[in-house]
Amino acid sequence: MSAFEIRPTEASQAPAVLALYRAAAAGSGGLARRPDEMDLAYVEGFLAKALAGGVSLGAWRGEALCGEIHASRIGPDQFAHVLSDLTVAVDPAWQGQGVGRALFQALFAAAAQLSPQVTRIELMAREGNGGAIRLYQALGFVVDGRFEGRVRTPDGRLEADIAMGLLIPAAGGAA
């Protein structure tokens, strides 16, 4: 039996997701927002968007939320095959225990069930977040580009934002 269970996130769980995001942001600094830049309305907004045609999943141990991942559709029909605005957060106490990888695997499985079919998943990663970039590459994401000087770190340095994408073969073999 796994130490955690992955299941769909519900809008009513926004307070737990907010607490998780604040803890994750205070820890490794992998999230774009600082803890004080997140509130319930922010979380309710991204959950609503993900739940309206995308994916939001939580990793739970009992009633404790260990991690969350979400991605959403980005708009016009020409992008209906794309999941974007992807964010993953893992509680610092659970980092390094396979929660992030398990959340991604569950996201891929959930995305395969969506209609219209998803054939691309994309995310952004701060260049200084090497551990996350290595995980994303191990999962099959490739670097699509760099936005030089886009991210200002808390200490004032500027870093590139790394655009990454994963192509998923469409049913019938075409990506």
Side-chain angles (χ1 to χ4, degrees):
M1 181 172 161
S2 170
F4 53 88
E5 172 191 9
I6 299 193
R7 59 183 189 252
T9 308
E10 300 172 6
S12 64
Q13 296 165 327
V17 174
L18 174 59
L20 167 72
Y21 272 64
R22 285 180 171 164
S28 67
L31 296 178
R33 293 176 188 262
R34 296 185 318 260
D36 64 327
E37 294 178 307
M38 297 181 228
D39 60 17
L40 196 55
Y42 163 70
V43 172
E44 289 171 339
F46 73 64
L47 285 177
K49 189 173 178 186
L51 294 171
V55 176
S56 177
L57 301 165
W60 298 84
R61 180 167 193 185
E63 296 303 311
L65 183 59
C66 309
E68 189 270 350
I69 192 168
H70 65 268
S72 55
R73 308 275 185 167
I74 57 177
D77 282 347
Q78 68 179 347
F79 301 115
H81 64 288
V82 178
L83 282 183
S84 191
D85 295 333
L86 188 151
T87 301
V88 61
V90 176
D91 186 295
W94 282 86
Q95 291 177 3
Q97 298 182 48
V99 174
R101 182 179 294 276
L103 283 166
F104 269 98
Q105 295 298 337
L107 174 88
F108 299 156
Q113 302 303 311
L114 294 177
S115 180
Q117 184 177 16
V118 171
T119 59
R120 178 177 171 82
I121 300 174
E122 53 192 28
L123 58 81
M124 301 291 282
R126 181 178 50 82
E127 77 176 312
N129 197 351
I133 292 170
R134 286 188 295 279
L135 171 63
Y136 305 151
Q137 289 174 323
L139 291 167
F141 285 86
V142 298
V143 174
D144 285 338
R146 296 172 59 91
F147 292 84
E148 295 296 340
R150 186 172 189 221
V151 178
R152 184 175 306 279
T153 63
D155 65 5
R157 291 179 300 110
L158 293 177
E159 291 187 345
D161 221 358
I162 309 297
M164 302 184 79
L166 172 70
L167 294 177
I168 302 166

